[in-house]
Every structure is written in structure tokens, then in C-alpha cells.
Amino acid sequence: MSSFKHIISAFLALLLCSLTSAYSLVHNYDYTNWYSSFNFENQADPTNGTVDYISLEEAQSSGLTRIIDNQVYMGVENSSIISAPNGRKSIWIESKDSFLHGLLIGDFAHIPGGTCGTWPGFWTIRNDLNAPYGEVDILESYNDLTTNFMTLHTSESCSFNAPADTYLGTLNQQDISCSLDGPGCSAKGPAGSYGAPFNQNGGGVYALEWTSSVMKIFFFPRNAIPADITSGNPDPSTWGLPTANFDSQYGNCDIDAAFPPQTIYFDTTFCGAEAGGKGWTDWSGCAASTKISTCEEFVRTQPQAFDEAYWLINSVKVYQ
Ligand SMILES: *[C@@H]1O[C@H](CO)[C@@H](O)[C@H](O)[C@H]1NC(C)=O
Ligand SMILES: *[C@@H]1O[C@H](CO)[C@@H](O)[C@H](O)[C@H]1NC(C)=O
């Protein structure tokens, strides 16, 4: 009798679960398929960094990317002194598939964060150059900072100004407008959402929830990843407050008009507009800690500084 009851309640739980769990896995990018799922772009850096992006073939043969146990390692060149105007070898990759709406969940054991000279990103952007420009920067920061910046950039007119008590991050500067002629609408994550503390905690998960009405970004350190993410049945309604809350009820944005299907990107660049210039001298401690006056000189002359500038990726999953 009691086992019958157990069966009934297990059945009801299953039914409830299948009714409420709206998301199913549509793409699992991991060590089994990484190199066939992403293009490694051997291209000039659109952000004008002190970088030399290399092909998949070169990245594999030089060990800049490899599979370590069941994780994808993507690092940067860390043994050579480079002469100007060349940059340090690194990677820029783009997913072959794109997606529209859903959950994008990246599980990272280690990111290139915390290293002076670096400006890495995990982000998405329109897959069709004729579509409106829509970009979602999920994980992006630079130099020795310990906080992440989550930012939207749109060609359509969009703004978001969610009340402070609806998300765990903070409004970055006063960046409410997502318009391309400004810095984008942006939230700053809490301490430890990036950089050395992120890595010391064993990394964590960044998740984007994308619907017709919201772009919410969630950050979970390794020890606080919701069980439904780990078990593969993610339900963002149970995750609590997001870290960034681009919610159209608190803004002026037609999300479907502004964000066409998105392609997934990773890159690790050096210097440029974020890590170089004022990013080097004023917005981070790097000029002082390295005693080298420019980011560019540091990146070219200090290969040993870049041992920690690597991604170690457990998985990137798309649910819809
Ligand atoms: C790129 O940066 C260099 C300095 O490193 C500068 O001379 C050049 O004008 C920049 N180009 C663009 C397109 O920003
Ligand atoms: C470069 O960094 C990796 C870790 O990212 C490390 O295993 C390797 O030993 C470093 N190479 C050199 C030449 O220091």
C-alpha cells in the first residue's frame, strides 16, 4: 500500500514536472563536439586589440585549444615576446548554429578573467548582417577587475531601467539606453562574478533567459548552482533574482524587433578600448601593479603573465 502510494506520488511529481518544466535541451556544446560546432576565426580584431586570432588548425597544433579530461581549454600564447605592431595569439570563435529565444547556459570551470591586458567575452550577436543589430554581452570584463559587465547593444531604440530591488547587480554608470551610439545598457555584477575570485571558486554558471519580454542574465558561483541546472531541467522561475534584469516591463524595448536570432561567441582579446587606454591607467590597477605604462607594451613583452588567461569550459547549453 505504501509503495503504491509512493508510485502514485512519484507519478504525480513526474506529471507536475513535465507540466512545469517548459525547457528542453536543443544543443549541448561540449568537449565531444566543440570543434565541429564553432568556427575559429582567423581575422583582424573588430575591437582593434593587440591580438592575433588564429585558425582552429593552428590553435590545436600549438596547444592553444585542446580537450583536457572532459573540458574544453582555450588559452592564449604565453611563451613569446611579440614585436609591434603584432599582437599576441588568441582565439575568436563563433557558433555555426544560431538560436531565437530560450535559455543559454554556460558552465565555466575557469575564465581568462583577472589578468592584466585581457578583455575576454562570452556573448551573442545577430547571425544575419541584414537583420537589426542586437548583441548580448553575458560575460565580459577586463584587466584585474573582479566584477562582470552584462550589456545589450541594439540598433533599434531600446532602454531598460529595472528597479534596483529586481536584480542582484547594479546599474553600470547610468547606462540605460542600449543604443549603438552609446556604451549600451549595462549592469555590473557582484564581487566575484569575474576575475581571480571567480576562478578561485571553481568558476560557475552564466545563464541568459531570453523571451519576447525579457533578457535576464543569472550568475551562479560553483557552490550555488541550482539543482535544476545541474540535472538538466532548468526552470528560471525558481532561480530567484537575476543578476541583470533587462525586462521590457521596466523599459521601452520591443525585444523581438531588437534581437534577431543570435550566434554564440567567445573571444579573448588584449588591450583595445576596454583593457587599454584608461582601462589600463585609470579603471583598473594594472598600470600600477605591472609598472608598465601601456597595456600594449605589457601584452607584447610579458608572455608569462598570461598563463591564467584561459577558458576551461564544461558546457554551453541551449534550451528552448
Ligand atoms: C587601433 O589602435 C592603434 C593603436 O594601437 C591606433 O593607432 C589605430 O588608429 C586604431 N585603429 C582603429 C580603427 O581604431
Ligand atoms: C601557458 O599557460 C598554460 C596554462 O594556461 C600552462 O599550462 C603552460 O605551462 C604555460 N606555458 C608556458 C610556456 O609558460
Side-chain angles (χ1 to χ4, degrees):
M1 182 63 189
S2 92
S3 75
F4 181 68
K5 262 196 208 149
H6 278 128
I7 290 166
I8 293 288
S9 61
F11 175 76
L12 287 176
L14 208 67
L15 189 70
L16 207 65
C17 187
S18 64
L19 288 175
T20 55
S21 169
Y23 288 103
S24 45
L25 184 64
V26 297
H27 212 130
N28 183 8
Y29 300 92
D30 69 5
Y31 75 100
T32 64
N33 58 19
W34 199 262
Y35 301 128
S36 57
S37 303
F38 287 91
N39 292 317
F40 281 61
E41 298 292 342
N42 176 358
Q43 63 173 11
D45 184 17
T47 67
N48 199 19
T50 307
V51 70
D52 176 10
Y53 295 127
I54 60 176
S55 66
L56 172 61
E57 291 67 31
E58 184 176 354
Q60 287 184 306
S61 64
S62 60
L64 253 61
T65 188
R66 53 191 191 266
I67 306 303
I68 302 176
D69 297 326
N70 291 344
Q71 298 170 312
V72 180
Y73 169 94
M74 297 191 295
V76 304
E77 207 283 340
N78 57 347
S79 60
S80 308
I81 292 175
I82 319 285
S83 37
N86 295 326
R88 186 163 295 285
K89 289 184 176 178
S90 180
I91 55 90
W92 168 292
I93 70 170
E94 313 178 359
S95 66
K96 293 180 182 174
D97 287 344
S98 56
F99 71 109
L100 175 68
H101 296 165
L103 298 177
L104 173 65
I105 303 183
D107 185 329
F108 307 115
H110 191 282
I111 60 172
T115 302
C116 285
T118 58
W119 172 16
F122 164 53
W123 49 293
T124 72
I125 193 170
R126 64 175 174 182
N127 71 330
D128 173 1
L129 290 180
N130 296 313
Y133 188 101
E135 173 183 334
V136 185
D137 299 329
I138 299 165
L139 202 182
E140 176 185 31
S141 193
Y142 57 92
N143 287 339
D144 57 2
L145 302 196
T146 60
T147 53
N148 181 43
F149 296 97
M150 295 147 285
T151 308
L152 308 183
H153 300 281
T154 61
S155 56
E156 304 300 288
S157 165
C158 273
S159 60
F160 295 96
N161 193 7
D165 62 0
T166 66
Y167 63 111
L168 300 174
T170 52
L171 184 62
N172 181 29
Q173 314 287 346
Q174 290 300 311
D175 300 336
I176 291 165
S177 165
C178 314
S179 165
L180 283 178
D181 55 24
C185 45
S186 183
K188 184 178 170 180
S193 54
Y194 180 80
F198 178 94
N199 290 328
Q200 280 152 14
N201 288 335
V205 161
Y206 269 93
L208 168 70
E209 178 187 8
W210 174 15
T211 71
S212 294
S213 57
V214 300
M215 288 279 189
K216 294 185 183 185
I217 297 169
F218 297 81
F219 161 60
F220 304 109
R222 178 68 47 204
N223 61 6
I225 299 170
D228 61 340
I229 289 184
T230 311
S231 71
N233 300 293
D235 178 2
S237 71
T238 68
W239 295 347
L241 293 180
T243 311
N245 192 19
F246 304 109
D247 184 333
S248 53
Q249 74 172 302
Y250 304 122
N252 186 2
C253 186
D254 178 343
I255 288 181
D256 283 344
F259 292 93
Q262 299 278 296
T263 303
I264 303 162
Y265 283 63
F266 285 87
D267 72 275
T268 304
T269 188
F270 304 102
C271 306
E274 292 291 325
K278 279 204 152 60
W280 186 257
T281 54
D282 293 25
W283 307 333
S284 77
C286 287
S289 67
T290 65
K291 302 186 173 63
I292 292 182
S293 61
T294 69
C295 181
E296 291 76 11
E297 184 188 346
F298 181 76
V299 166
R300 291 193 176 107
T301 62
Q302 308 296 316
Q304 76 291 345
F306 297 97
D307 290 6
E308 291 293 311
Y310 66 91
W311 298 92
L312 194 59
I313 298 169
N314 290 320
S315 64
V316 172
K317 295 179 180 176
V318 176
Y319 292 87
Q320 285 174 327

